[in-house]
């Protein structure tokens, strides 16, 4: 009985992988809003009713793809972070790994960091995978702060009352051991990182700093100093 269930589960897992692999191929051609369960089933030689047993709706398939993409970029960031390295070097390695993953998987990157998908609302289950990259970045800052090597960020300009409350809640929930001003700068750097990657992938740097390897390297070094990481 156990062997039979295990075999069935392996077969189900394999077909699930085939479905998500085909769905990712369709992302490259039709985009997320053009993803169709019927088209996926047709390419796999399945009837639609059989595919619905794995993914009852397009939104559930999208959620699976989004979760896999967040996990993949999170894994890349985590693998690049070597705690034995100086914090600034860890920062640069993580930023480079995130960019490398995005360049190697532009359509999956667009799925999670591109335009919202009409009619789709991501469930709460996507939040933990989405948090993996920022948690790696915050871990670098936390370690530097604990070691006494993080330069304290100035508390200027003063945040508004609304922002101060948002930062207080964020700090208490995620990084209670980091100063609020450092958390603010980390948020700025986080959005800057993905903004640069998006500009590069979506062609906004053509005619200015394209190819953008030098620009990215220089910018991430400046970002490291901005959050308080000394070169080294």
């Amino acid at each position: 009985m156990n062997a039979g269930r295990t075999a069935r589960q392996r077969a189900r897992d394999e077909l699930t992988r085939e479905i998500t692999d085909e769905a990712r191929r369709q992302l490259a051609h039709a985009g997320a809003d053009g993803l169709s369960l019927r088209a996926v089933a047709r390419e796999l030689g399945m009837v639609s009713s059989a595919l619905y047993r794995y993914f009852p709706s397009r939104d559930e398939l999208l959620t699976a793809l989004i979760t896999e993409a967040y996990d993949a970029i999170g894994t890349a960031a985590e693998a690049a972070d070597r705690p034995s390295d100086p914090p600034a070097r860890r920062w640069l390695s993580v930023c480079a790994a995130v960019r490398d993953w995005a360049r190697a998987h532009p359509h999956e990157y667009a799925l999670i960091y591109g335009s919202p998908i009409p009619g789709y609302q991501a469930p709460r289950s996507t939040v933990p995978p989405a948090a993996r990259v920022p948690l790696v970045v915050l871990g670098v800052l936390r370690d530097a702060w604990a070691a006494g090597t993080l330069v304290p960020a100035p508390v200027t300009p003063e945040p508004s009352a609304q922002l101060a409350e948002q930062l207080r809640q964020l700090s208490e929930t995620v990084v209670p051991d980091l100063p609020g001003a450092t958390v603010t700068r980390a948020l700025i750097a986080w959005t800057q990182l993905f903004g640069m990657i998006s500009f590069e992938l979506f062609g906004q740097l053509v005619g200015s700093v394209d190819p953008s390897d030098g620009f990215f390297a220089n910018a991430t070094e400046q970002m490291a100093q901005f959050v308080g990481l000394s070169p080294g």
Side-chain angles (χ1 to χ4, degrees):
M1 291 291 291
N2 290 338
R5 283 198 297 271
T6 301
R8 286 195 297 272
Q9 186 59 50
R10 286 200 301 268
R12 182 179 181 84
D13 291 345
E14 178 61 29
L15 186 50
T16 299
R17 282 192 294 271
E18 290 181 13
I19 292 170
T20 53
D21 286 347
E22 176 57 34
R24 277 190 291 271
R25 282 191 288 271
Q26 291 197 17
L27 286 177
H29 302 291
D33 56 342
L35 183 64
S36 163
L37 287 179
R38 290 183 179 276
V40 171
R42 183 173 59 250
E43 290 300 319
L44 293 176
M46 301 172 61
V47 294
S48 298
S49 58
L51 189 145
Y52 290 139
R53 291 199 293 268
Y54 293 82
F55 296 100
S57 68
R58 182 206 67 154
D59 283 6
E60 292 200 27
L61 179 54
L62 279 171
T63 296
L65 296 175
I66 288 169
T67 299
E68 288 181 1
Y70 276 132
D71 277 332
I73 195 172
T75 297
E78 291 162 2
D81 182 25
R82 297 179 175 83
S84 59
D85 286 347
R89 189 178 305 168
R90 291 171 62 187
W91 173 278
L92 297 177
S93 296
V94 170
C95 290
V98 169
R99 177 180 180 242
D100 288 345
W101 184 89
R103 283 159 54 97
H105 306 87
H107 304 294
E108 291 161 75
Y109 177 89
L111 177 65
I112 53 178
Y113 292 111
S115 300
I117 304 166
Y120 174 78
Q121 181 67 44
R124 292 289 300 174
S125 62
T126 60
V127 174
R132 289 177 63 177
V133 170
L135 286 177
V136 173
V137 171
L138 289 171
V140 174
L141 299 181
R142 184 188 296 113
D143 290 350
W145 179 258
T149 60
L150 187 71
V151 179
V155 192
T156 54
E158 288 283 347
S160 67
Q162 180 187 49
L163 176 58
E165 176 60 18
Q166 291 171 334
L167 294 172
R168 183 191 67 78
Q169 294 181 16
L170 180 63
S171 295
E172 289 182 356
T173 304
V174 183
V175 279
D177 44 354
L178 279 180
T182 298
V183 175
T184 303
R185 291 203 167 201
L187 281 170
I188 293 170
W190 176 46
T191 57
Q192 175 70 17
L193 171 63
F194 285 96
M196 287 193 300
I197 293 172
S198 294
F199 261 52
E200 178 181 5
L201 290 186
F202 303 150
Q204 300 301 319
L205 297 180
V206 174
S208 54
V209 285
D210 180 40
S212 58
D213 297 34
F215 169 70
F216 186 87
N218 183 271
T220 50
E221 287 180 10
Q222 291 194 51
M223 288 158 56
Q225 295 179 40
F226 176 74
V227 297
L229 298 175
S230 301

